[in-house]
Amino acid sequence: MAKVSIIIPIYNVDKYLDTCIESARNQSLEDLEIICIDDYSTDQSLEVLRRHQIDDQRIIVIENTKNLGQSYSRNIGIQKATGEYIYFLDSDDFIEHDAMEKLYFYAKSRSLEVIFFDAQLIFESETLEKKFMTYQSERSHTYEEESGEKLFQKFIENNEWSASPPRQFWSKNFIDSIELSFWEGIIHEDELFSFIGILQAKKTACIKQRYFIRRLREGSTMTMKQEAYRLESILVVYRQALEYWLTHHFMEKTNEAIHKYLMKLTRQIKRLSMHTELLNDEVILQHMHTLISLNGIDEHAYERLLYQVKKQRQAYEQIILYGTGQMAEEILHLFNRHNISVSKVVVSVKTNEKRYFYGHQIYTCRQIKELAATSLVVIATSKKYHQDIIKHIHQYGFFNYIKV
């Protein structure tokens, strides 16, 4: 039995695969196995794997007989793994030299079922760097030895939830004990895997170490434009997560956190469902109830907001985002995709626990009141707070605003 099984699903990444495999082979922890699943690649990926396999007996190569997707490949890797712990590495990324050693002994000494950690980012172009500048690769907090429920609560409360498997280190016994696997046939499969996994875990931790190096490149799952497939996948995630929530018992604070998480998914679905004409009839019928229920809530809000901001931004020197909740997060990402720059992020009352929001320092209106005359404020909060917020910003001279 190896200490760690590194599972790498592979599809048409021959340009990046050497770097990925070498980072796994060169780990300071030598007692590991490297399970590589080639998902019927049409480039030289399999040849690269075979070359490495000749030099390193720890490498296990599995060939899919047809293209079956990342979830299927990861599930095969879980089945074949003999390690005490499992790490999922994407084939165009890589890891620090001592990552497996540090994670293994940290988890082993504390009998942890999963560790969450941070990432470094490498951008292949300035365009991608600008597009994903708000991608959250680091968390602001360290959480030591929490139950999965409590850790999930804190992640949601502090906008630090990331479902990315390469930022997680799992106990193989735990995965087997709850029969945890990746939902096949969709993208965003990591959302369900991580959501269910963390909520069932009894001993977890989150450490501020950037062991994983993510490469943001054109053509990856994260950067590809495939709205119809993405929408179909998130609909599956939403429905399965909702069903899981309704059929399990959780603490009150966990229920609140899950509700916030699902609301974030609904906003993604509403935004993407503008593209329902790209879905086939079978998919639309399958998810009709979800689409109708979610889109009944002002489905064109984002379109109207973009129109208003683009129309008015030339008249102001800066755009200020009011709020640091999930709606504000969605608006910040929306603006970033449409090249709309946010100058400041403001709240009514600033706390010491949360000083930054996706790289933006958080201010109060009082701290930046000198900008009032030249600013357009976008209020990104629940409607029930709008009246109080408008009164508050008026106190400091902010009279130019748009409500989401």
Side-chain angles (χ1 to χ4, degrees):
M1 175 187 290
K3 286 184 170 65
V4 178
S5 298
I6 300 178
I7 296 174
I8 310 175
I10 294 149
Y11 180 69
N12 287 353
V13 286
D14 57 3
K15 179 180 176 182
Y16 310 99
L17 194 52
D18 274 318
T19 301
C20 174
I21 300 298
E22 286 167 4
S23 77
R25 290 180 58 187
N26 294 331
Q27 286 296 296
S28 58
L29 180 69
E30 296 182 356
D31 187 8
L32 50 79
E33 62 182 1
I34 305 167
I35 304 174
C36 303
I37 306 95
D38 181 69
D39 196 23
Y40 209 63
S41 295
T42 57
D43 63 359
Q44 300 300 308
S45 293
L46 187 57
E47 286 74 7
V48 173
L49 291 177
R50 293 301 186 196
R51 172 163 47 80
H52 281 282
Q53 188 180 35
I54 292 171
D55 296 333
D56 195 329
Q57 294 182 350
R58 298 174 300 172
I59 296 177
I60 301 167
V61 177
I62 299 170
E63 297 180 53
N64 291 345
T65 56
K66 59 182 179 179
N67 183 248
L68 295 166
Q70 184 166 250
S71 292
Y72 178 89
S73 296
R74 282 177 173 164
N75 288 338
I76 288 295
I78 293 172
Q79 293 173 23
K80 299 293 183 183
T82 65
E84 295 176 64
Y85 287 85
I86 285 179
Y87 177 66
F88 299 101
L89 177 60
D90 288 345
S91 53
D92 52 355
D93 302 320
F94 51 104
I95 46 178
E96 292 287 1
H97 171 68
D98 59 351
M100 296 299 99
E101 180 180 6
K102 293 290 182 63
L103 289 166
Y104 173 79
F105 286 108
Y106 190 95
K108 186 76 172 176
S109 64
R110 295 163 174 81
S111 301
L112 299 177
E113 291 160 332
V114 59
I115 303 174
F116 295 82
F117 52 96
D118 291 335
Q120 306 172 46
L121 299 182
I122 294 177
F123 298 94
E124 281 205 334
S125 68
E126 291 183 5
T127 301
L128 285 174
E129 184 171 5
K130 186 175 182 180
K131 182 178 180 181
F132 290 96
M133 63 182 296
T134 58
Y135 176 79
Q136 189 176 30
S137 60
E138 294 185 74
R139 297 179 176 92
S140 301
H141 301 83
T142 295
Y143 307 104
E144 295 186 2
E145 296 187 51
E146 301 272 9
S147 70
E149 281 195 53
K150 288 184 177 179
L151 185 58
F152 184 73
Q153 293 169 21
K154 292 178 179 179
F155 280 161
I156 296 299
E157 179 184 352
N158 295 312
N159 292 307
E160 293 178 328
W161 171 247
S162 169
S164 174
R167 295 175 61 182
Q168 304 161 7
F169 189 77
W170 293 89
S171 160
K172 174 67 158 63
N173 284 340
F174 173 70
I175 287 178
D176 290 344
S177 68
I178 66 170
E179 299 181 341
L180 187 61
S181 63
F182 292 91
W183 192 279
E184 297 180 14
I186 63 172
I187 54 177
H188 299 293
E189 71 287 342
D190 47 358
E191 287 288 346
L192 274 177
F193 181 92
S194 302
F195 174 78
I196 293 173
I198 190 173
L199 289 177
Q200 292 210 31
K202 297 296 185 289
K203 296 193 71 176
T204 69
C206 176
I207 57 178
K208 281 185 61 59
Q209 296 292 333
R210 300 192 300 168
Y211 290 131
F212 170 57
I213 299 95
R214 161 152 281 162
R215 188 196 308 272
L216 286 175
R217 63 180 179 86
E218 295 291 352
S220 68
T221 302
M222 187 170 177
T223 61
M224 281 192 296
K225 293 182 178 179
Q226 39 188 349
E227 284 86 353
Y229 191 20
R230 196 175 300 279
L231 171 57
E232 182 182 352
S233 298
I234 296 177
L235 282 166
V236 171
V237 170
Y238 175 83
R239 293 181 67 175
Q240 294 302 319
L242 179 61
E243 180 180 344
Y244 182 82
W245 183 28
L246 296 176
T247 54
H248 291 76
H249 176 73
F250 298 105
M251 295 182 286
E252 183 177 349
K253 287 188 176 180
T254 306
N255 286 326
E256 293 174 2
I258 294 173
H259 179 258
K260 288 181 179 179
Y261 170 72
L262 291 176
M263 288 303 295
K264 181 178 178 180
L265 290 181
T266 64
R267 287 193 290 274
Q268 288 181 269
I269 291 170
K270 285 193 291 182
R271 184 174 67 249
L272 289 169
S273 60
M274 297 174 186
H275 300 275
T276 49
E277 73 277 0
L278 300 177
L279 300 179
N280 61 51
D281 292 341
E282 182 180 348
V283 172
I284 291 176
L285 288 172
Q286 181 182 358
H287 299 289
M288 182 61 75
H289 176 73
T290 305
L291 283 168
I292 291 173
S293 62
L294 295 179
N295 281 312
I297 310 173
D298 199 7
E299 64 182 56
H300 299 299
Y302 285 151
E303 282 186 337
R304 291 197 302 271
L305 174 64
L306 282 174
Y307 173 78
Q308 289 178 295
V309 172
K310 288 180 178 179
K311 183 178 179 181
Q312 297 186 47
R313 65 175 171 175
Q314 299 300 325
Y316 300 99
E317 294 181 10
Q318 53 268 319
I319 293 174
I320 293 175
L321 183 67
Y322 193 105
T324 56
Q326 293 182 353
M327 184 180 295
E329 177 186 347
E330 292 293 322
I331 298 304
L332 191 62
H333 292 326
L334 179 72
F335 283 0
N336 184 49
R337 287 194 302 273
H338 290 268
N339 298 315
I340 298 173
S341 297
V342 170
S343 301
K344 306 285 183 185
V345 173
V346 297
V347 293
S348 298
V349 180
K350 190 170 64 172
T351 63
N352 291 329
E353 290 79 16
K354 189 172 184 179
R355 295 183 296 172
Y356 293 91
F357 183 68
Y358 289 92
H360 294 269
Q361 185 172 345
I362 299 172
Y363 296 90
T364 62
C365 288
R366 183 176 182 177
Q367 289 177 305
I368 59 169
K369 60 184 179 180
E370 70 277 1
L371 303 178
T374 59
S375 298
L376 176 64
V377 179
V378 177
I379 301 174
T381 68
S382 173
K383 290 181 179 179
K384 64 182 180 181
Y385 302 121
H386 284 182
Q387 187 174 354
D388 289 338
I389 290 171
I390 291 169
K391 289 181 181 178
H392 177 74
I393 65 176
H394 280 179
Q395 292 178 16
Y396 298 100
F398 291 91
F399 296 103
N400 308 306
Y401 60 85
I402 295 174
K403 297 177 293 184
V404 178

